[in-house]
Amino acid sequence: MMVMDHQQELLQFYWMIKMKALVVKPGSKGVYLKDIDLITENKIKVKTLYNGICGTDREIVNNKLPFVRPENGEYLILGHEALGQVIDAPENSKFKLGDFVAPMVRRPGNCMLCKIGRQDYCIDGNFAEAGIRGKDGFMREYFYEDENFLIPVEKEIGELGALIEPTKNVMKMVEVFQSLKNRIIWDCDDSTLNCKGAWIFGTGSEGVLSSLVFKSIGFNVTIVNRHPLPENVLKILDKNGLKFFDSSSKNWKEALEENPMDLAIDAAGSADIFIQVIDHINYNGIVILFGTSGTGSISDGSFITKIVDKNLSIAGVEDGSKKNYIDAAKFLFEYGSKYSINDIITSRIKPEETWIFNEKPKDEIKTIIDWNL
Ligand code: BGC
Ligand code: ZN
């Protein structure tokens, strides 16, 4: 009888796949397209179609995020925004060959909230995040996944499926907004939100997606940045009736007369924007902070008095639950053509074009990697 070595033995129960993957070495700068062997359990096998690239990926590549850590060894496979297609699934699984799926980023630890599917509210930090901390990500040709962390996606959604992950963050903002709003009667006197203004600070993909989602629930939306916007971004705003306010050149008073600030969403993370928001927001306003790379400082304590005096609610929001991903997929499917959401995808690149992590194209809203290019 032939004696099997350890690897042959393993391969009887596990599959080994050779593939290309974009990897980083936590603790140092750089990103590489590497050939990797993957021996993994026989779960659902997914072929990656698209990955979105966001600020988090660029910060990881430039060694600016302190919490990045590999799953095994010294390399981490990058990528937390993905759309894939099932190419192999065990019998009795919820998915079948050909299904489109979007994987979830954050995986539960052992705390009470992680156990009830709300790892986005984890209380002890013992979670993992694919492509970010403690779990390999999805910028690779294939990945295996537990079906509980895959979101079913309508095939017709196409490349918009790459936006499900960033949109789930917005869906969590909506959830937080709804619960803060419910502390008093906040709606307009015809039961809608059409007398209310939402101001979104930041015009990147998270800012533009937030503007569209909050418009869809009835707000008048103003999107803000402190510099003029490229033509393609202005076009999307125009097409969808979103007002743009260039805070470096225009007069706040005028812009606030046009659209009052009842809800503020900050995707930029700068202290001076926060101070401006507290100054300009209406009584009973709601402030949602989302940007994770906070900058600047707040030295004047009088803004605390304003927060109290105006009865403001301020919430930090990070990540999202499975329900938020499902709502995101639904939103993109339903509003994709009405809001021309495809225009948010401003470039499609090949996996080997790693310069993209160091150079942001001038008109970029969202760049995606297309594994079929
Ligand atoms: C992801 C979140 C994640 C956060 C911090 C964001 O880019 O969308 O899911 O929790 O980064 O790691
Ligand atoms: Zn992201």
Side-chain angles (χ1 to χ4, degrees), residues 52-57 80-81 105 132 165-166 168-169 206 366:
I53 295 175
C54 81
T56 305
D57 301 309
H80 58 279
E81 308 186 2
V105 178
I132 303 173
E165 194 282 331
K168 68 95 171 59
N169 296 324
E206 211 73 64
K366 175 64 83 182

